[in-house]
């Protein structure tokens, strides 16, 4: 068991910001199209955090053109360039799946000051 932990600790990203459920984050992903690479940002609210260690994932939800879009990002993946917190959210739940049913102002999360 220590061998697996020692091997996975080598690949953990040390410079991750503190991110909690309810925070609005901007995740920059390295996208490969043919032989070109570019960075693409995805900004939205974290509605779930799962697993831990090398397997940690965050589910980010945003609404664009009145259509909800959710993406699951492995936090320690080499294709993730950066994760930056745009604003902190004040929530009382560990999973914000109820935001899927809400639209407009009701889908907002209060800001923590």
């Amino acid at each position: 068991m220590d061998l697996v932990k020692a091997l996975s600790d080598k690949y953990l990203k040390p410079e991750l910001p503190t991110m909690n459920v309810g925070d609005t984050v901007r995740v920059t992903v390295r996208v490969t199209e043919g032989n070109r690479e570019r960075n693409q940002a995805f900004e939205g609210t974290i509605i779930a955090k799962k697993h831990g260690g090398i397997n940690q994932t965050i589910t980010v939800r945003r609404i664009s053109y009145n259509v909800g879009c959710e993406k699951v990002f492995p936090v320690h993946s080499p294709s993730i360039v950066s994760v930056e917190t745009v604003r902190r959210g004040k929530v009382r739940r560990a999973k914000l799946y109820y935001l899927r049913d809400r639209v407009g102002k009701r889908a907002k999360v209060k800001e923590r000051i």
Side-chain angles (χ1 to χ4, degrees):
M1 201 61 175
D2 293 334
L3 180 65
V4 174
K5 182 168 173 37
L7 195 63
S8 64
D9 283 347
K10 186 169 54 172
Y11 295 104
L12 292 176
K13 290 188 178 177
E15 72 280 351
L16 285 177
T18 58
M19 47 188 168
N20 296 316
V21 175
D23 293 353
T24 302
V25 293
R26 184 178 299 118
V27 182
T28 307
V29 183
R30 185 176 296 114
V31 178
T32 305
E33 296 173 337
N35 56 0
R36 295 185 312 139
E37 280 191 355
R38 64 183 176 88
N39 293 339
Q40 184 174 16
F42 187 88
E43 185 173 334
T45 305
I46 297 178
I47 63 168
K49 282 175 69 173
K50 290 187 178 180
H51 314 299
I54 196 76
N55 297 324
Q56 183 180 5
T57 61
I58 56 171
T59 305
V60 181
R61 177 178 176 82
R62 81 167 182 202
I63 297 175
S64 57
Y65 302 105
N66 294 328
V67 177
C69 178
E70 290 182 9
K71 286 189 179 184
V72 178
F73 294 104
V75 174
H76 297 286
S77 171
S79 63
I80 302 292
V81 177
S82 66
V83 179
E84 61 181 273
T85 304
V86 177
R87 60 187 283 253
R88 316 272 296 160
K90 181 180 177 185
V91 294
R92 297 173 65 179
R93 301 278 180 272
K95 304 286 191 275
L96 303 181
Y97 296 140
Y98 64 89
L99 290 179
R100 293 173 176 166
D101 300 329
R102 299 192 177 183
V103 290
K105 284 186 178 180
R106 295 183 67 208
K108 281 189 177 179
V109 175
K110 288 184 181 178
E111 187 167 4
R112 185 175 15 169
I113 298 172

